[in-house]
Amino acid sequence: MITHVELQEIIPPQDISDSMHFELIAENNRRTQLIDADAKSCAAVKAAEQEWSIEVIVSEGRKKCHLSEVQGHAEARLILARAEAQAIEIVKAVVPENELVKYLTATSYVKMLPELTKDKDSKIIVIPYDASYAVGDVLSCMKFKEKEKGSEKEKDLVPSNLVKQEKL
């Protein structure tokens, strides 16, 4: 009966030793490649997440900027509307009730006149027939005020070659 076995140094033949050595190198290379691929994959995922986060932040910034711009425009329109309402109230106090619409129409037209006469080639401005009386009244009032101020020379508010009345 065998009671005790002890192995002492075993030296395999050179070809088996070389084969084991190459297998060990191959296994180490395989593990290194797996670890390297895993690290590259994690880095790519993190880079994509960071890129996405940056895009989200930029998008949110653009959204806030646009919202702020829209709110600014809305507030500006409200301020202008309030100012216009106050101006109309002041005009109501001075202009007779039956002449108010004509006056407001005429002043709107006079404000738009520079835009309408911007084209250098155009020689005719079409004025709505009903509004032409109001425009004439406003222009007369403006010329009268110029005379009142002691001005010797009347200002030519509207070039005469640009205003022609036509019945529509």
Short mmCIF file of all heavy atoms in Angstrom, two decimals, residues 55-91:
data_model
loop_
_atom_site.label_atom_id
_atom_site.label_comp_id
_atom_site.label_asym_id
_atom_site.label_seq_id
_atom_site.Cartn_x
_atom_site.Cartn_y
_atom_site.Cartn_z
N GLU A 55 -25.31 69.08 -25.20
CA GLU A 55 -26.40 69.43 -26.12
C GLU A 55 -27.67 69.81 -25.36
O GLU A 55 -28.36 70.75 -25.73
CB GLU A 55 -26.68 68.27 -27.08
CG GLU A 55 -25.62 68.10 -28.14
CD GLU A 55 -25.91 66.94 -29.07
OE1 GLU A 55 -27.08 66.53 -29.19
OE2 GLU A 55 -24.96 66.44 -29.69
N VAL A 56 -27.96 69.08 -24.29
CA VAL A 56 -29.14 69.39 -23.48
C VAL A 56 -28.99 70.78 -22.84
O VAL A 56 -29.92 71.59 -22.87
CB VAL A 56 -29.38 68.30 -22.40
CG1 VAL A 56 -30.38 68.77 -21.37
CG2 VAL A 56 -29.85 67.01 -23.05
N ILE A 57 -27.82 71.05 -22.30
CA ILE A 57 -27.58 72.35 -21.65
C ILE A 57 -27.68 73.48 -22.67
O ILE A 57 -28.32 74.51 -22.41
CB ILE A 57 -26.21 72.35 -20.93
CG1 ILE A 57 -26.25 71.41 -19.72
CG2 ILE A 57 -25.81 73.75 -20.52
CD1 ILE A 57 -24.89 71.12 -19.11
N VAL A 58 -27.08 73.30 -23.84
CA VAL A 58 -27.13 74.32 -24.89
C VAL A 58 -28.57 74.52 -25.34
O VAL A 58 -29.04 75.65 -25.51
CB VAL A 58 -26.22 73.93 -26.07
CG1 VAL A 58 -26.49 74.80 -27.28
CG2 VAL A 58 -24.76 74.04 -25.66
N SER A 59 -29.29 73.43 -25.51
CA SER A 59 -30.69 73.51 -25.93
C SER A 59 -31.54 74.24 -24.90
O SER A 59 -32.37 75.09 -25.25
CB SER A 59 -31.24 72.09 -26.16
OG SER A 59 -32.61 72.15 -26.47
N GLU A 60 -31.32 73.93 -23.63
CA GLU A 60 -32.06 74.61 -22.56
C GLU A 60 -31.71 76.10 -22.53
O GLU A 60 -32.57 76.95 -22.33
CB GLU A 60 -31.78 73.97 -21.20
CG GLU A 60 -32.44 72.62 -21.03
CD GLU A 60 -32.05 71.93 -19.72
OE1 GLU A 60 -31.24 72.48 -18.96
OE2 GLU A 60 -32.57 70.83 -19.48
N GLY A 61 -30.44 76.42 -22.76
CA GLY A 61 -30.02 77.81 -22.81
C GLY A 61 -30.69 78.56 -23.95
O GLY A 61 -31.16 79.69 -23.78
N ARG A 62 -30.73 77.93 -25.12
CA ARG A 62 -31.42 78.55 -26.27
C ARG A 62 -32.89 78.75 -25.99
O ARG A 62 -33.48 79.77 -26.34
CB ARG A 62 -31.22 77.68 -27.51
CG ARG A 62 -29.85 77.77 -28.09
CD ARG A 62 -29.76 76.99 -29.38
NE ARG A 62 -28.39 77.02 -29.88
CZ ARG A 62 -27.79 76.01 -30.47
NH1 ARG A 62 -28.44 74.88 -30.65
NH2 ARG A 62 -26.55 76.11 -30.88
N LYS A 63 -33.49 77.75 -25.35
CA LYS A 63 -34.91 77.84 -25.02
C LYS A 63 -35.17 79.01 -24.08
O LYS A 63 -36.09 79.80 -24.29
CB LYS A 63 -35.37 76.51 -24.38
CG LYS A 63 -36.81 76.49 -23.96
CD LYS A 63 -37.15 75.17 -23.28
CE LYS A 63 -38.50 75.17 -22.64
NZ LYS A 63 -38.76 73.94 -21.90
N LYS A 64 -34.34 79.13 -23.04
CA LYS A 64 -34.50 80.23 -22.09
C LYS A 64 -34.27 81.57 -22.76
O LYS A 64 -34.99 82.54 -22.49
CB LYS A 64 -33.54 80.06 -20.91
CG LYS A 64 -33.94 78.96 -19.95
CD LYS A 64 -32.96 78.82 -18.81
CE LYS A 64 -33.36 77.68 -17.88
NZ LYS A 64 -32.40 77.50 -16.79
N CYS A 65 -33.29 81.64 -23.63
CA CYS A 65 -33.00 82.88 -24.35
C CYS A 65 -34.18 83.27 -25.23
O CYS A 65 -34.61 84.43 -25.25
CB CYS A 65 -31.74 82.70 -25.19
SG CYS A 65 -31.27 84.17 -26.11
N HIS A 66 -34.73 82.30 -25.95
CA HIS A 66 -35.89 82.56 -26.81
C HIS A 66 -37.09 82.99 -25.99
O HIS A 66 -37.80 83.93 -26.35
CB HIS A 66 -36.21 81.32 -27.65
CG HIS A 66 -37.36 81.50 -28.57
ND1 HIS A 66 -37.32 82.32 -29.68
CD2 HIS A 66 -38.62 80.99 -28.53
CE1 HIS A 66 -38.49 82.29 -30.28
NE2 HIS A 66 -39.29 81.50 -29.61
N LEU A 67 -37.31 82.30 -24.88
CA LEU A 67 -38.43 82.64 -24.00
C LEU A 67 -38.26 84.05 -23.45
O LEU A 67 -39.22 84.83 -23.43
CB LEU A 67 -38.53 81.63 -22.86
CG LEU A 67 -39.69 81.82 -21.88
CD1 LEU A 67 -41.02 81.72 -22.60
CD2 LEU A 67 -39.62 80.79 -20.77
N SER A 68 -37.06 84.39 -23.05
CA SER A 68 -36.78 85.73 -22.53
C SER A 68 -37.02 86.78 -23.62
O SER A 68 -37.60 87.84 -23.37
CB SER A 68 -35.34 85.80 -22.04
OG SER A 68 -35.02 87.09 -21.64
N GLU A 69 -36.59 86.47 -24.83
CA GLU A 69 -36.79 87.40 -25.96
C GLU A 69 -38.28 87.59 -26.24
O GLU A 69 -38.74 88.72 -26.43
CB GLU A 69 -36.09 86.83 -27.20
CG GLU A 69 -36.08 87.75 -28.38
CD GLU A 69 -35.31 87.15 -29.55
OE1 GLU A 69 -34.35 86.41 -29.33
OE2 GLU A 69 -35.70 87.46 -30.68
N VAL A 70 -39.03 86.50 -26.25
CA VAL A 70 -40.47 86.58 -26.50
C VAL A 70 -41.16 87.38 -25.39
O VAL A 70 -42.03 88.22 -25.66
CB VAL A 70 -41.08 85.16 -26.62
CG1 VAL A 70 -42.58 85.19 -26.59
CG2 VAL A 70 -40.59 84.51 -27.91
N GLN A 71 -40.76 87.13 -24.14
CA GLN A 71 -41.35 87.87 -23.03
C GLN A 71 -41.01 89.36 -23.14
O GLN A 71 -41.85 90.21 -22.86
CB GLN A 71 -40.85 87.32 -21.69
CG GLN A 71 -41.48 85.99 -21.33
CD GLN A 71 -40.87 85.39 -20.06
OE1 GLN A 71 -39.75 85.69 -19.69
NE2 GLN A 71 -41.63 84.50 -19.42
N GLY A 72 -39.79 89.66 -23.55
CA GLY A 72 -39.39 91.06 -23.74
C GLY A 72 -40.24 91.74 -24.81
O GLY A 72 -40.69 92.88 -24.62
N HIS A 73 -40.47 91.03 -25.91
CA HIS A 73 -41.31 91.58 -26.97
C HIS A 73 -42.75 91.79 -26.48
O HIS A 73 -43.38 92.80 -26.78
CB HIS A 73 -41.32 90.67 -28.20
CG HIS A 73 -40.06 90.73 -29.00
ND1 HIS A 73 -39.60 91.86 -29.64
CD2 HIS A 73 -39.14 89.78 -29.26
CE1 HIS A 73 -38.47 91.61 -30.25
NE2 HIS A 73 -38.15 90.35 -30.03
N ALA A 74 -43.24 90.82 -25.72
CA ALA A 74 -44.60 90.94 -25.19
C ALA A 74 -44.72 92.13 -24.25
O ALA A 74 -45.69 92.90 -24.31
CB ALA A 74 -45.01 89.65 -24.48
N GLU A 75 -43.72 92.28 -23.37
CA GLU A 75 -43.75 93.41 -22.44
C GLU A 75 -43.65 94.74 -23.19
O GLU A 75 -44.33 95.70 -22.84
CB GLU A 75 -42.61 93.28 -21.42
CG GLU A 75 -42.83 92.17 -20.42
CD GLU A 75 -41.63 91.93 -19.52
OE1 GLU A 75 -40.66 92.70 -19.58
OE2 GLU A 75 -41.67 90.95 -18.75
N ALA A 76 -42.82 94.76 -24.22
CA ALA A 76 -42.69 95.99 -25.01
C ALA A 76 -44.01 96.33 -25.70
O ALA A 76 -44.42 97.49 -25.74
CB ALA A 76 -41.58 95.83 -26.05
N ARG A 77 -44.68 95.31 -26.22
CA ARG A 77 -45.97 95.55 -26.87
C ARG A 77 -47.00 96.06 -25.86
O ARG A 77 -47.81 96.93 -26.17
CB ARG A 77 -46.46 94.27 -27.55
CG ARG A 77 -45.64 93.94 -28.79
CD ARG A 77 -46.14 92.73 -29.48
NE ARG A 77 -47.42 93.03 -30.11
CZ ARG A 77 -48.23 92.12 -30.60
NH1 ARG A 77 -47.91 90.86 -30.55
NH2 ARG A 77 -49.36 92.47 -31.14
N LEU A 78 -46.97 95.51 -24.64
CA LEU A 78 -47.89 95.98 -23.61
C LEU A 78 -47.61 97.44 -23.23
O LEU A 78 -48.54 98.24 -23.07
CB LEU A 78 -47.80 95.11 -22.36
CG LEU A 78 -48.50 93.76 -22.43
CD1 LEU A 78 -48.18 92.94 -21.18
CD2 LEU A 78 -49.98 93.93 -22.57
N ILE A 79 -46.34 97.77 -23.11
CA ILE A 79 -45.97 99.15 -22.78
C ILE A 79 -46.44 100.09 -23.88
O ILE A 79 -47.01 101.16 -23.61
CB ILE A 79 -44.45 99.26 -22.55
CG1 ILE A 79 -44.07 98.54 -21.25
CG2 ILE A 79 -43.99 100.72 -22.51
CD1 ILE A 79 -42.58 98.33 -21.06
N LEU A 80 -46.21 99.68 -25.14
CA LEU A 80 -46.65 100.52 -26.26
C LEU A 80 -48.18 100.65 -26.29
O LEU A 80 -48.71 101.73 -26.56
CB LEU A 80 -46.15 99.94 -27.59
CG LEU A 80 -44.67 100.11 -27.86
CD1 LEU A 80 -44.27 99.34 -29.13
CD2 LEU A 80 -44.32 101.58 -28.02
N ALA A 81 -48.86 99.54 -26.01
CA ALA A 81 -50.33 99.58 -26.01
C ALA A 81 -50.85 100.51 -24.91
O ALA A 81 -51.79 101.28 -25.12
CB ALA A 81 -50.89 98.17 -25.83
N ARG A 82 -50.21 100.45 -23.73
CA ARG A 82 -50.63 101.35 -22.64
C ARG A 82 -50.37 102.81 -23.01
O ARG A 82 -51.19 103.68 -22.74
CB ARG A 82 -49.90 100.98 -21.36
CG ARG A 82 -50.39 99.70 -20.73
CD ARG A 82 -49.71 99.42 -19.40
NE ARG A 82 -50.03 98.09 -18.95
CZ ARG A 82 -49.14 97.13 -18.73
NH1 ARG A 82 -47.86 97.38 -18.89
NH2 ARG A 82 -49.51 95.93 -18.34
N ALA A 83 -49.21 103.06 -23.59
CA ALA A 83 -48.88 104.42 -24.01
C ALA A 83 -49.87 104.91 -25.07
O ALA A 83 -50.32 106.06 -25.03
CB ALA A 83 -47.46 104.49 -24.55
N GLU A 84 -50.21 104.05 -26.01
CA GLU A 84 -51.19 104.40 -27.05
C GLU A 84 -52.55 104.68 -26.43
O GLU A 84 -53.24 105.64 -26.81
CB GLU A 84 -51.28 103.26 -28.07
CG GLU A 84 -52.15 103.56 -29.27
CD GLU A 84 -51.53 104.56 -30.23
OE1 GLU A 84 -50.30 104.71 -30.23
OE2 GLU A 84 -52.30 105.20 -30.97
N ALA A 85 -52.94 103.86 -25.45
CA ALA A 85 -54.22 104.08 -24.78
C ALA A 85 -54.22 105.43 -24.05
O ALA A 85 -55.22 106.17 -24.09
CB ALA A 85 -54.51 102.95 -23.81
N GLN A 86 -53.12 105.74 -23.39
CA GLN A 86 -53.02 107.04 -22.71
C GLN A 86 -53.07 108.19 -23.71
O GLN A 86 -53.73 109.20 -23.46
CB GLN A 86 -51.73 107.12 -21.90
CG GLN A 86 -51.75 106.25 -20.65
CD GLN A 86 -50.41 106.27 -19.93
OE1 GLN A 86 -49.40 106.74 -20.45
NE2 GLN A 86 -50.41 105.73 -18.71
N ALA A 87 -52.40 108.01 -24.84
CA ALA A 87 -52.42 109.06 -25.87
C ALA A 87 -53.83 109.25 -26.41
O ALA A 87 -54.29 110.39 -26.62
CB ALA A 87 -51.47 108.69 -27.01
N ILE A 88 -54.55 108.17 -26.60
CA ILE A 88 -55.92 108.27 -27.10
C ILE A 88 -56.80 108.98 -26.06
O ILE A 88 -57.65 109.81 -26.43
CB ILE A 88 -56.49 106.88 -27.46
CG1 ILE A 88 -55.78 106.36 -28.72
CG2 ILE A 88 -57.99 106.92 -27.67
CD1 ILE A 88 -56.09 104.92 -29.07
N GLU A 89 -56.59 108.69 -24.79
CA GLU A 89 -57.36 109.37 -23.74
C GLU A 89 -57.08 110.87 -23.76
O GLU A 89 -57.99 111.69 -23.59
CB GLU A 89 -57.04 108.77 -22.36
CG GLU A 89 -57.60 107.39 -22.14
CD GLU A 89 -59.11 107.33 -22.25
OE1 GLU A 89 -59.80 108.24 -21.75
OE2 GLU A 89 -59.60 106.37 -22.87
N ILE A 90 -55.83 111.24 -23.95
CA ILE A 90 -55.48 112.66 -24.02
C ILE A 90 -56.14 113.31 -25.24
O ILE A 90 -56.70 114.42 -25.15
CB ILE A 90 -53.94 112.84 -24.07
CG1 ILE A 90 -53.35 112.42 -22.72
CG2 ILE A 90 -53.56 114.28 -24.40
CD1 ILE A 90 -51.83 112.30 -22.73
N VAL A 91 -56.10 112.61 -26.37
CA VAL A 91 -56.72 113.14 -27.59
C VAL A 91 -58.24 113.24 -27.41
O VAL A 91 -58.86 114.22 -27.85
CB VAL A 91 -56.37 112.26 -28.82
CG1 VAL A 91 -57.19 112.62 -30.03
CG2 VAL A 91 -54.89 112.37 -29.12
#
